[in-house]
Amino acid sequence: MENVPFTKSSLHNLCGKTNRDQADEEDVKKTMDVFAEIGAKDPHFTYRVQADSEDRVKNLMWATGSSRLQYNFFGDVITFHTTYRMNLYDMPFGLFVGVNSHFQSVILAGVLARDETQESLEWVFPEFLRMMAGSPPMTILKDQNRAMELAISKIMPGTTHR
């Protein structure tokens, strides 16, 4: 064992990185195929992609036609919450969620972001508003994230955030 030039942990990390790097291109194609299938069944389905300088997906957001319609009725108070890098790509996953008149959660949009910097969030929030083709929410409940607070203040200055 002492002659092996790496640890089990470093091998595991290397394999994980290799899998992520190889999966990137194929998974983007698979994702676009799934989006095309959904779009064929739901003409109001929409998605947005922001690429980085190497033409890799930096941010990816999507919403169904039903979600977009729900925003028109229940978009006055929404939440935006991200998980912290709990997926294969080590990217935060965020959900925009509203509450309908039956006090049920309604998923309005999903987003995979490369990071939670102010720059990324300043892409996320206007794209969300564009997808919803509506006015900004009156209130947004969010994580305790300074970058998110700054982005919301800049993009949706009339929106109260807590």
Side-chain angles (χ1 to χ4, degrees):
M1 272 314 270
E2 59 274 356
N3 294 330
V4 176
F6 50 83
T7 66
K8 185 177 178 180
S9 176
S10 64
L11 180 60
H12 179 74
N13 290 339
L14 177 63
C15 289
K17 182 183 180 329
T18 301
N19 285 341
R20 279 192 300 276
D21 291 346
Q22 290 175 348
D24 269 351
E25 292 174 24
E26 184 65 25
D27 286 353
V28 168
K29 182 187 178 321
K30 288 178 185 176
T31 300
M32 294 301 111
D33 290 346
V34 168
F35 282 0
E37 281 181 42
I38 295 169
K41 296 174 188 168
D42 178 358
H44 299 288
F45 173 79
T46 188
Y47 66 93
R48 304 282 193 276
V49 179
Q50 181 186 33
D52 65 13
S53 60
E54 297 172 10
D55 285 331
R56 295 182 322 170
V57 173
K58 181 175 180 180
N59 296 310
L60 172 66
M61 184 184 306
W62 62 94
T64 65
S66 173
S67 296
R68 296 171 71 200
L69 181 63
Q70 297 285 343
Y71 182 80
N72 289 327
F73 298 113
F74 311 114
D76 50 342
V77 177
I78 65 171
T79 65
F80 181 67
H81 177 73
T82 58
T83 61
Y84 194 72
R85 303 177 185 272
M86 304 278 299
N87 53 63
L88 172 67
Y89 301 105
D90 200 29
M91 295 171 74
F93 171 71
L95 282 177
F96 287 91
V97 179
V99 177
N100 68 18
S101 54
H102 300 287
F103 301 106
Q104 298 168 323
S105 295
V106 178
I107 296 174
L108 301 171
V111 62
L112 272 172
R114 180 71 56 199
D115 53 43
E116 288 184 275
T117 62
Q118 184 177 347
E119 177 189 352
S120 286
L121 294 167
E122 285 179 4
W123 180 88
V124 168
F125 292 119
E127 290 302 324
F128 173 75
L129 294 176
R130 234 174 269 145
M131 290 171 87
M132 296 300 132
S135 55
M138 294 186 329
T139 302
I140 186 167
L141 306 172
K142 60 169 188 64
D143 296 345
Q144 289 185 332
N145 177 323
R146 180 69 175 150
M148 197 178 296
E149 181 180 333
L150 294 171
I152 291 169
S153 294
K154 182 175 180 180
I155 305 304
M156 299 181 275
T159 298
T160 302
H161 43 100
R162 297 283 181 252

